[in-house]
Every structure is written in structure tokens, then in C-alpha cells.
Amino acid sequence: MSSILLLHGPNLNLLGQREPEIYGHATLADYVANCTEWAREIGFDLEHLQSNHEGDLVDAIHSARGRHAAIVINAGAFTHYSWSLHDALATFHGPIIEVHISQPNAREPWRHTSVIAPVASGSIAGFGMLGYRLAIEAVSRIVR
Amino acid sequence: MSSILLLHGPNLNLLGQREPEIYGHATLADYVANCTEWAREIGFDLEHLQSNHEGDLVDAIHSARGRHAAIVINAGAFTHYSWSLHDALATFHGPIIEVHISQPNAREPWRHTSVIAPVASGSIAGFGMLGYRLAIEAVSRIVR
Amino acid sequence: MSSILLLHGPNLNLLGQREPEIYGHATLADYVANCTEWAREIGFDLEHLQSNHEGDLVDAIHSARGRHAAIVINAGAFTHYSWSLHDALATFHGPIIEVHISQPNAREPWRHTSVIAPVASGSIAGFGMLGYRLAIEAVSRIVR
Amino acid sequence: MSSILLLHGPNLNLLGQREPEIYGHATLADYVANCTEWAREIGFDLEHLQSNHEGDLVDAIHSARGRHAAIVINAGAFTHYSWSLHDALATFHGPIIEVHISQPNAREPWRHTSVIAPVASGSIAGFGMLGYRLAIEAVSRIVR
Amino acid sequence: MSSILLLHGPNLNLLGQREPEIYGHATLADYVANCTEWAREIGFDLEHLQSNHEGDLVDAIHSARGRHAAIVINAGAFTHYSWSLHDALATFHGPIIEVHISQPNAREPWRHTSVIAPVASGSIAGFGMLGYRLAIEAVSRIVR
Amino acid sequence: MSSILLLHGPNLNLLGQREPEIYGHATLADYVANCTEWAREIGFDLEHLQSNHEGDLVDAIHSARGRHAAIVINAGAFTHYSWSLHDALATFHGPIIEVHISQPNAREPWRHTSVIAPVASGSIAGFGMLGYRLAIEAVSRIVR
Amino acid sequence: MSSILLLHGPNLNLLGQREPEIYGHATLADYVANCTEWAREIGFDLEHLQSNHEGDLVDAIHSARGRHAAIVINAGAFTHYSWSLHDALATFHGPIIEVHISQPNAREPWRHTSVIAPVASGSIAGFGMLGYRLAIEAVSRIVR
Amino acid sequence: MSSILLLHGPNLNLLGQREPEIYGHATLADYVANCTEWAREIGFDLEHLQSNHEGDLVDAIHSARGRHAAIVINAGAFTHYSWSLHDALATFHGPIIEVHISQPNAREPWRHTSVIAPVASGSIAGFGMLGYRLAIEAVSRIVR
Amino acid sequence: MSSILLLHGPNLNLLGQREPEIYGHATLADYVANCTEWAREIGFDLEHLQSNHEGDLVDAIHSARGRHAAIVINAGAFTHYSWSLHDALATFHGPIIEVHISQPNAREPWRHTSVIAPVASGSIAGFGMLGYRLAIEAVSRIVR
Amino acid sequence: MSSILLLHGPNLNLLGQREPEIYGHATLADYVANCTEWAREIGFDLEHLQSNHEGDLVDAIHSARGRHAAIVINAGAFTHYSWSLHDALATFHGPIIEVHISQPNAREPWRHTSVIAPVASGSIAGFGMLGYRLAIEAVSRIVR
Amino acid sequence: MSSILLLHGPNLNLLGQREPEIYGHATLADYVANCTEWAREIGFDLEHLQSNHEGDLVDAIHSARGRHAAIVINAGAFTHYSWSLHDALATFHGPIIEVHISQPNAREPWRHTSVIAPVASGSIAGFGMLGYRLAIEAVSRIVR
Amino acid sequence: MSSILLLHGPNLNLLGQREPEIYGHATLADYVANCTEWAREIGFDLEHLQSNHEGDLVDAIHSARGRHAAIVINAGAFTHYSWSLHDALATFHGPIIEVHISQPNAREPWRHTSVIAPVASGSIAGFGMLGYRLAIEAVSRIVR
């Protein structure tokens, strides 16, 4: 089970094209390539799914049970209202790292509440792509 | 139209594996088998759908119009925020029974609000699998 | 201890006379007669108390301790503010079934909160007299 | 049915003794004597009940059904939380006049909400004993 | 100073034409004529002003100081937000009677709050035209 | 008037039997016996009433006027919603000591608000039976 | 890029069948046919998608980037909670017109909040099918 | 009755001079000239009133009863607190179109609530001067 | 443009007569005379308007544009709800000084919110007549 | 470890000088002298610290760990917002008694919430200096 | 006692270096020098303390009792949560002037509430350094 | 400026001794030693301050200006109410990393709000000591 599931929620497929002043110019492919590389360096495979469909993410979390050692998730807007994701993540037994590219607490009020934080092992926000590197490093240290 | 549509919302496919201290050890297959049997005893067919996709449940409710006599639904986490389900259920003309395995009012505050209760004919919560038996019995008595 | 205590709260003595478009035409006597019959069918005695006095209901719950196997309660308006009933029910060790004839969530906002639900084993709402039948059936299955 | 039921809620038995700077020096007996006289002048009997017991007031309202032409009620502190009284009054078909001796809106915030006003035909507050005279006069004009 | 100032706020000039199921068929002229007559019977002149202009009502209250013995006011929608009226009424030394034709507490939530009640001597609501009669009678008894 | 009225609200008759991990194993009789003894040591008689009926407690407070030097009250769940008790206690002229066996602020949110604290001379919470001893000692020192 | 994307959210496939007293008798096909005709009259193609799946709508908005000149959207119940749609629409550079058939502000409170209005160029509500004609006309004038 | 009443609330007389980055450079005269022309094209007279006085707008709405076929209103800041306008508009029997030049939902929170929307037939926001053209077109189609 | 517009809102015409324990004994004429004198000392004309009519104040602010160097305003009760004044003041380009005679934060809760403070250059509260002197001095220093 | 740490929060150094109608005329030195005496009578040393510095109190609580048998604390205004004190007290293993001289629940609303009560063993309020005597007595009985 | 205590709360030592677009370029030394000069002109000594320590400010206020004629305070962020400062200022008998350099009501919501305003004689906000001059002038006029 | 300032807020000096089930067994010295080592590995000096005094932390942040390249801060309970820290951090120009050992969102509601997150470059929560390692790594990558 030395693999990590990396999940991206809605609209993150547009990374690099959408509000670059907030999210930067790297594309989702860049993010995934980097994460794959970082994971490999520490001996993990990385599987990736981006979806704008809440149900796809829930399904992916379910199939991660017993197959992946950890989940790294940037749930996008679902962070703020998807109790289904909350319940899905609660069924996963390994570490769950919540990542946000920007700092939600410095943006609109509805972005200040995370419904998945209570079931995440840890949360990392505001570091851009670096946040993913930190998350993967965290996984490697927690899992071992 | 002597058939019942049984719907399960997100994460309920993991019944028996997820938080057994809350949800017990019976699997979703056990639930469906029992409900099918109970429905048959009172002369009803039972069709079942579990989905982690809100849209699938809405679609299923739509196609139930004119095809099923009643809906029994455990909407899982959608119970607490899916106004789409609320609007979909409002278009169905037969009885709608909302079922919850545990007692949501005894859990986290966000589980205390049901956005589908206002359009359900009746609600049954806290009885585990027995709640489904009560729901099916209720359907049989209301429909006749 | 094969007996059930059936409790009715304030104004339910007027069942059949009060707002029949909401509560139907059956009288409280009809309710009690039916429940007694249903209980007997499954081998239970049924004792009944209706009171408009919060203290009477609390007293009755106290004397049910060790004398009745289960409580079925429609607390009427007390449902929404009587923390005394909450505390009293919390002292009872058998199953407690909360019943409502109508669907409170589809009525005024103050009827959406139940202060006794957190201490009830299960809740059944919106089924009219049928709800009591379901409650008694539930008792019989839980107790055995 | 040419009679009026006059109801007083908790602590109003102490009228004349309790906070005279708010409630004045007239005793409850004075209130009842005056109201009886005023009712008689316009051809009504008046029956009176003061109780510190919510259930007694609910019972009295129930037995007023079909026996009294109108209810005049100063529910005291029950005004602010007794949904049982709300439901009981809703079952009465004649005029219901809510009376307050002082002006609750000029006192503590919790006295600003009346849970019985929505089911009262009319409300009169702030006139001291005069408010009862107005209430009885109102009854006589509405009933005719 | 044996005169009463009767004030009507916005939209009450349409009495009899507007939502007669709530406000009845009597016109504002009928109201004023009746009040004038009732006032005369008890030895008072009555001056009347209806205005849709908050400032006109404030001005009228100011000139009532020292000229009128009492104010009877149905402030219409201003009841719910005109703190200017609140402050104006607070400067008047005689009795102030707040009247409402319908029962605001039984209508939309924003009608449940009166910003003028805290400075009114008394409030009368829900009695239709009869409420004015009660108000004028109250004035006569308070002033003497 | 060298006597104290000790009042217990709803469900406290079950002390020793109900949730001993919160309330301990001493019974109400133990509490009363101890308090009687402690009162006697400092020269006071002690009269006791436990009731699950709000009205009984209000009645008892009324008859304490002029008969008892002080009131010690553990209002149980009434603490959190009985404005009738609030108004009743406000009519008593001697010291009123509010006692709680457990620390309500460390329990459910609805137990954090006391509607009787504003009219109590002092409040003592969290000391188990010792709290009553402190209350009685306080009475003795205040009254003298 | 002379084309418009018309989007319909959940349950709007039932237009004409669902609550016709609110939504009228025209079917979704009627809406689309009319809009196509109106768009053609002003020189625009119109592409249409109705979905009960939030993710489908997000996907469609993404592929509209660079392909459609404008979006006209009736998001149904998603209007009130889908922050994913909010974020998706924020990535589109052309005009976005929010349309509602009924007037949400005159219905249940939860329909009073639109989470997509802050990112819509303009909003049109309450005009039934006419609202779409206005929206298309608006598009044609804004785009030119 | 082939005429439209166009109403503008407070500060809109400064259109073109005030915050042009929000409201644009067209003056109120431009707005009125355009609307008059657009109304004429579809066979309607247009009468216009701008006022900073709530009462003037209420008066104008009253005199529109029976004289104008429809009202188009941009109530400016009154949109957010003038319940008098709400009540006045509720007395008008023809279509009422609420117009806003900017998108209030994208500005300060207090601009997100419209107290007149519940009594408007339809609302149009965010289209600048175009919104008026849409409103007039809507009127012409609704009235016929 | 060396002139100042001094504005007073509702009920301030009664200064000296109304609640002197809060507002003191100086009359509005005293205030205006002093302010005129203070303004003259620093080389400013002063124009004054007191009105109980919100629209009059809005009109006056509009005509101050380009005619007065600064506005000093005590908006009275309008401070707490008149968004029209807010919007009007926002159109004025010179300094705007909000003055209150008493300290609103030390009075009723509804006086704690100022809807005009966000558009005022500065606010001065609690200094009685002295506050106006400070305001005029502030104007003179800001304008130069 | 037979010693007690007595802590006083901000402004309590002014006891006897500050608002004597609320806090009485005894000085802090009087309080400490009495407490020292009372402690000695029951065999305890008493160490005292008053500070207006939140950090000093936190430091003192830390050094009490293992050195004092109990803490008696009147945190003054820190009671209502110092979560640091909350966390500090949570690290102490002996009994913690929260004392207030006056009854905070009878004063301003912001004094009704204690952020330290959830970690205090017990709370005593409203008894003036007597409250400290009760607290010390409580300590002696709990510790033994 | 012809001296003034000038107090500055946290972070104001960085005046001139921190967010100059809000606070300007003058340093704290400039502020103090100017205030000292202005005070001298009107015959007052000025003592100054800036501290980032809440307790230091409380201590300073205490020692100002009987030593200083007045306090001028810009409490910085303590303005919004330091109830200790509130209580400390309440013990001072001379005038207290609250000053803010910027206009807190035009900034983040948490800056809109001042917990010290209720105990300040007067408040001055939004005038930059000029506000201090006004405050000192106010002191001189109040004290004489 | 190749140095990092590591700050710890109140009660964190007790790390390893306080609630080890939440915070683990490592002491603050362990934390600092590890962080120093990690910082050195990437070429940074590390200066550390733990204080239970809000003002000390504010002072330290001020002196970090121009002396340290970055701040890593675990503000303990100050996280939830210290607006002074918020303002102090806002004056620092380098990266600020907020660290929490546990996951505050999974604990009491008052721990869900961070008043410093809006001014932190990034936040890391829930990783125990590992979180500091991630923070230091983040600093090294951001600063370069």
C-alpha cells in the first residue's frame, strides 16, 4: 500500500487559466507531474483524480480504502459544503491531508469554513504548489 | 404501480464497514435483501438505487414518477444540504418515507436539519435496519 | 416487564376535535384502543396517560422505570421546549419512541426542533395513527 | 354562551404585592371584582381562574370550548415560552383577548416575544387594570 | 388641552381599498368619522393626520406637544423601522396609544417587531375599527 | 423567620439513581437529611419540597414570602427555561441561593443559560452535595 | 463566437409537469425551442444543456470558455448552495445572465439567497418564459 | 390605461455624476428619455418621478392605481429598508418591475436584501440602462 | 467654496426641550448661533438645515455638491437606518464630519450602529455642544 | 501540598475604591487577609497574586502545578474572553474554584459568559467576600 | 491635577512605518511631540505611555486616578476585545477621550465594535493626527 | 537576514506535560531543538520565544522586522482572540507560517476561528511536531 491518492475538486482542472493572481500560472498537469515526482522520491506511487463531480470524489475515496496509504485532497469549493465528502473521508483509515493553494481565511467569508477539516489528519493552506510538496512529505513521515 | 423505489445516498454503500458502532454490521446488500423480502411479503416489488451522485438520485426520483407507488429514501449526508433532492421529491405524488439508521438529532449539529423532511410524508429515524421494515409497512398501509 | 407506557402531551386529549385537517378525525380514545390492541397482538400490555401537565408526564416516566419495557411518547408542544421531559426520559433505560402525528418539519419553524429527540431511541413522524402502530411494532422487535 | 373566561397565569395571584411600581396596588381580587362587574354591565357572566400551573390553564381552555363565548387571558411569564398554551388557545373558536398590565416591549428582551399573540384575536398591553375593561368591552362588541 | 391627535402612517389612506381580507371595508374617512364621534362623546376634540411621509408625522407629534392631551397612532409600516418616530414620541408627555387594525404577530416576521412600542403607554392590536374605540376610551380614562 | 426553604426541581427525586457519573450516589433523602442537619447546626429549620411540577415550585415560593428567611433552590432543568420561576423568585425578599450539583457550563450548550440567576442573590455550581452546605452556610451569614 | 450556452439546473427537465401554478405549463422543450428561435433572430446559435448533475454543469461552463459568447443559466436549486457553480462561472469571461422563472424572494427563505448572483453580470427573475427572451436580448446587446 | 409609471428612488437624480465606475455616465434625463422612447415604440406613455422622499414615492404609487398599467421602479437605497414602499406596491394590481443598474448582490451585504422583491412581479439587476429597456419590453408583453 | 453645511436630522429641532438629562439645555438656535460664530472665526460661512424629513436632508446634501466645502451632520435617529443618507453622503467630495451630542454606544443597542460612519471622514461623539466646535475646527484644518 | 493559590484578575487591586455599590468597601488587602486567616483555620497556607497582566496569571497557574493543592480564582474581566486562562487552568490537576463578588448574570450581557467555568471544578458568584470563605471551605473539603 | 495621560495601545509604536496608506507617515514620536505641545499651549502637562501589553495600560490607568485630569486613549486593537481596559477606564473619574486615527467603521467588521466606547466620555475617529488635537482641546474645555 | 523567528503562545511551555493525548509527549525544548536543527540544515538561524504574555509576542514580532526572514508561529489560545497579534503580524513583510499541533477544527467550536490566519502566508495544522518541519521547509523554499 505504498501509494497516495491525490484528489482535486471542482474547477481545479482550470489551474493556470483561472484567476492566476490567486492561483498562479502552473497548470493541473504541472501539479500532478510535480507531485508524482515528489512521491516517487520518497518511494510512493501517486494516483490522481480531478473531478467536478462530488460523487466521483466520494467513489474514489471509497476505492482508496485498502488500496492507498494516504489521501491528499484539495476539494475546491466542495470544501465549504460537501458533507458527503466529509462522511466519505471519515471512512478512510490512513492519513488525510487537506491542501489549499490560497489562504481561504483571507478571502470571502463562505471560504472560512471547511466541512472536511474535522476529518482531516492535517491541513495545509496558502503555500501554492509548495503546499503539495509539504503534504507529500507529511504523508511519507506519517506513514512510516 | 405496486412497486417501491428504495434510494440510498452517499457513503451508504459502505454500510457494515463504516463506523459500525453507529451503523451496525449489516451491509447494504443485507438491507436491500431484507427490504426486498419485506416488500414482497406485502405484495410489492422493490427497486433499489444507491448512489454517491446527487444527480443520479434526482434522475431516479424523476423516473419514479408514474412508475413507483412510493419512495423510501435514506439520503445520507445529502439530507442536510441537497435542495435539489428537496425539489425533486416535491415532484413525486406518492408517499415518500425518509429513513435514517441512526438518530441524527443525537449527533453533530449539522445533522439536526433535514432539508427533505418538509417534502416527506413521514420520517423514521434511529431504528437501524428495523426502520426500513417500518417504512415498508407504512408504505403498504398508506398506498392501500 | 412486558408492558409499554404510552404517553400523550398537552392538547392531544382533543384529538379528533382539533384541526382535523392536520390531525385527522380519530379521537384519543381511538388511538389508545388501537394501540392497546396492537400491543396485545404482540404480547404487551399497554398503559396510557395523557396530560396537559408537564410534571405528570415526568412523574409517569419516573414510575415507568423498572415497570415498563418501553415508552412511546407524543409530547405535543412539550416536544419543543420541555427540557424537564428530556432529563426525565434520559433516566429511562428501555427503548423510547418519539411519535408525531403530523410532520413538524413542514409546519412553523418552532416545531422543527425537538428537545427530546436526542434522548429518544427512535423517532417517527408524519404517519398519523399508523405511526403508533409502527412504534409499537418497533418496541416489540427491539425489546426481544 | 353569554359568559367570559378570564385567565391569569403564574405569579399574578400576587398582584398588588409584587413590584407595585410596575403592576400597581390593586390585588387580583380587585381585578376579578371589577371585571365581573364590567362583564355584568354588558350582560355577561365571568368565570375566573388564576393558576401557576401551565396544565391547569390548558385544561381550563379546553373546558371553555362550547361553554364560554370568549377568553380574556393574561398569561404572565407563560406568554413568552408556553407553546402548550399556544396550541390550547388555537383550539378555541371564540375571540381570545391577550392582556398585559405593563408594556412588555419596554422591559427585558425576553418579554418582547409573545408565543400566544399569533393565536389571539387581539392584544392589549400597558393599560393596567383599564386594559381588562377594554378587553371586556371588546368581547362584548365582537361577540354581538 | 381636551383634544386627541389621531395619526395614521403610510398606506392607511387606502383603508377599505387595500387587502380588505386583512383590513376590512371601512375607509379612512369612516375611521376618522367614527373616532371623532367617539371622542366627542367623551368630551374630546380630535385632530387627524394621515401621511405617507415620516417627517410629517414627526412634525405633527412635535406640534402636539402642549396642544393635545394624547396621541393615538397607527404608524403602519413605520412601526417596524422608524426610529425617528420612536424618538419623536419619546418627547411627548401625555399618553400615547399604539393601534393596529390587524394582529401583526400573526403575519410576516418583520411585522413582529414594533420600534414604537417601547415609548407607547399602551398597545392595542387585532381589533379592527373597534381598536380605535378602545384607544379613545383608554385616553379618556387615563387623562382624567 | 429562622427557617430556610429548600427547593428541588424536576428529576432530582431520582438523585442517586440517575446518571451517577454526573450526580453521584447520594439520594435526595440523603441531601435533605444533610441539609436539615447543617441548617440545625446554625439555628435554622429547613423545609423541603421537590417537585416535577413548575407550578408547585411557584406556589411554594409564594408561600415562603414572610415565612422563610431564605430560599435554596436547585431548579433542575427549569433553570434553563422557566421564566415563571424567575418571576416568582423576584417576589421573594430574602436571599435566594441557586445551587447546581454539576457544572452546567461544562455540559450541553442549553445548560449554559440560567434564567433564574439574574434574580438569585448568589449561585453555587459544581460542588456536588458540598454545594448545599456552602449554600446553607451562606444563608446563615447573610441573614445575620 | 456568436453562440450562447443555455444551462438548466436540477428538476427543470420537469418544467410543465412540476408545480404548474408556480412554473406554468410550458415544457423544457418549449423553452429551448423558443430560446433557439429568439437567439437565431438576433444572429446567435444556441446550445442547451439541462442536467441534474452539478458536475455536468461545471464541465459545460468550462467548455464554454472560448466557445460561447455568453451563458444564460437557470441553476434551479443549485442557485442556493452550489459554490462549485459560483467558482466555475467566475472563470468565464463573457456575460452571464442568471434567470429564474418564478420570483425566489417571494418563496421560502432558503430561496432568497443566490450564491451565483455575485458572479453573474445580471439577474432576471419572476417573468416566466419571458425572462429568457429578455436574457437573450440582453446578451445580444451586451455582446455587440 | 396604456401607460407606465417609472419611479426612481433616492440619489438616482445624480446618475452620471455619482460613482460612474458603478453607475455609468448616462444621466437620469438620458434614462428617462430612452425609456420614454422605448415605451412609445410599444404604444405606451411613460410618466416619470424621481424623489429622495419615501412619501412621494408612496403617494405616486397610490395615484398609479387605476391610472397606470404597470410600474417600473428602481428604489435606490429604499430597496433595502422601506417597508412602506413594500406595502404601497402591494396595493397596486398591475405588473411591478424592480430594476437595479448594478448587481446589488456583488456589493455590500446590506444591499443583498430587497424588501420590495416579494411584491414585485419580476426583478432585473445588473444591466445598466439596458435593464430598463428589458423592463419596458417585459411590461409590454405582460400587459398584453 | 469657503462655506460649511450644517445638517441636523429628526427631533433635533427640540434640543433643549427633549431629554435634557441626555442632550442638555441649549436649544438648536444656540447650537446654530455658536457654530456660525465658530465658523466665522475661521473664515467660513455656515448654512444650516434641520429637518425631520429624510428626503430634505438628501436634497440638501445633493445641492451642497460644489457649493459647500464640507458637511457637518448630526443625523439623529437616521444615523441608524437611513441608507439613503449613506448613499447621498457618498456623492459628496469634501470632508464629512459625523457628530453626536451624546455617546450612542452607551445607550440602547440599536444606537450602536451608524450606517453613515462608513462614508464619513471622521466621527465625533459624546461632547455635547463642544463636539460641534471640534467638528468645525476639524473642517478648517482639513480643508486648508 | 497543603496550600492554596488565590488569584485575582484585572482591576481587582482597586477593590473598595471601584464601584462600591457593586463591589462593597472591603479592599483587596482585606480580602487577602481574611482568606489567609480562613485558610489557616483549616490548615492551609495561602499564596496570593493579583495582576492586571493575563500572562502573569497564566505563569502563576503553571507554577502552581505540583506546588498548590487548589486554585481559587476571581479572574475579573478575563473571565469573559481569556481563552489563555482557560487553557492554563485546564493543565492544573487539583480543584479550581471560580469566584465572583457580584452576580455577573444580573449585569451586562457580555458578563454572562465565563470562558473559564468549563474548566473550573465549581463556581461561586454573588456573595461578596463571603464567596471566598465558601470557596476556601470547599477547597478544604474537596482536598481531604 | 493639570495633566493629561495619553495612552497608545498595541502596534501604535510602529506609526509611520505600518500601513502608511491607512495611518499616514507621522511617527509615534511626532504624535507625542505634537500632543505635548498642544497640551502645553492650553496649560497642561502630558504624560505618555505606549504599550503592547494590556496589563501595562490597565496599570497606567489605575495610577492616573487622582494624578491626571483626563485620559486620551487610542487603544489600537484592544479597542475591540479588552474588557479589562473597559473595567479599568470605568474606575477613572475624569474625562476619557477615545481616539482613532482611521475610521474603524469603514474597515473590517471586527473593527466596528468598541468595548471601551461605553465608558468613554467622548469618541473621535478618522481625523489622523488632527484627532488628537481635537481631543486635547476637548479635554481643556471639559476640565475647566 | 537568513534567520527565522519561532514563536509560541500561551501554555505551550507545558508541551509534553499538558494533555499528551492531544499534544503528544515531546517537550517545548524538544520542539525548539528539532526546529533549530532543521533550520540549520537549510542554512537558517532560528531564534525562539515562548511567552504567555500577548505583549511579549507583539514586541517580538516588531523587532523581527528587518532582522528575521520569516516568522513561524503557534499562537496557542491567542489564535482565537488576539487582534493585537493580527495587527502586529500585518506589519511584518516576510512570510508568516501559522502552525498548530492539533487540528483546531476538530475540537471545541471556539477553536475553529483563527484571527491570525488572514495575515498569515500559510497555515499548517494537525501534524504534531512534523508541522514545524513542514513550516521550516516552507520558509526555506519561499524565502529563496
Side-chain angles (χ1 to χ4, degrees), chain A residues 106-134:
Chain A
R107 300 175 67 191
E108 306 98 313
W110 56 270
R111 294 199 204 265
H112 297 196
T113 302
S114 166
V115 303
I116 65 175
V119 288
S121 320
S123 300
I124 296 173
F127 296 100
M129 195 185 281
L130 173 56
Y132 290 78
R133 182 167 194 155
L134 301 175

Side-chain angles (χ1 to χ4, degrees), chain A residues 28-46:
Chain A
L28 183 60
D30 298 335
Y31 274 81
V32 176
N34 281 347
C35 288
T36 304
E37 178 57 27
W38 292 327
R40 188 174 318 147
E41 288 172 18
I42 56 172
F44 281 86
D45 290 335
L46 183 140

Side-chain angles (χ1 to χ4, degrees), chain J residues 46-112:
Chain J
L46 184 140
E47 191 173 314
H48 175 252
L49 176 73
Q50 187 278 332
S51 179
N52 299 321
H53 298 250
E54 184 187 32
D56 288 348
L57 296 168
V58 171
D59 288 345
I61 293 163
H62 290 181
S63 33
R65 292 161 44 94
R67 282 190 46 239
H68 291 289
I71 293 175
V72 174
I73 180 165
N74 179 342
F78 288 153
T79 304
H80 313 300
Y81 65 103
S82 175
W83 292 109
S84 295
L85 275 187
H86 170 283
D87 280 0
L89 290 168
T91 71
F92 184 79
H93 299 300
I96 297 165
I97 318 291
E98 177 191 24
V99 180
H100 297 285
I101 293 172
S102 66
Q103 176 72 300
N105 277 294
R107 301 177 65 193
E108 305 97 315
W110 58 269
R111 293 199 206 265
H112 297 197

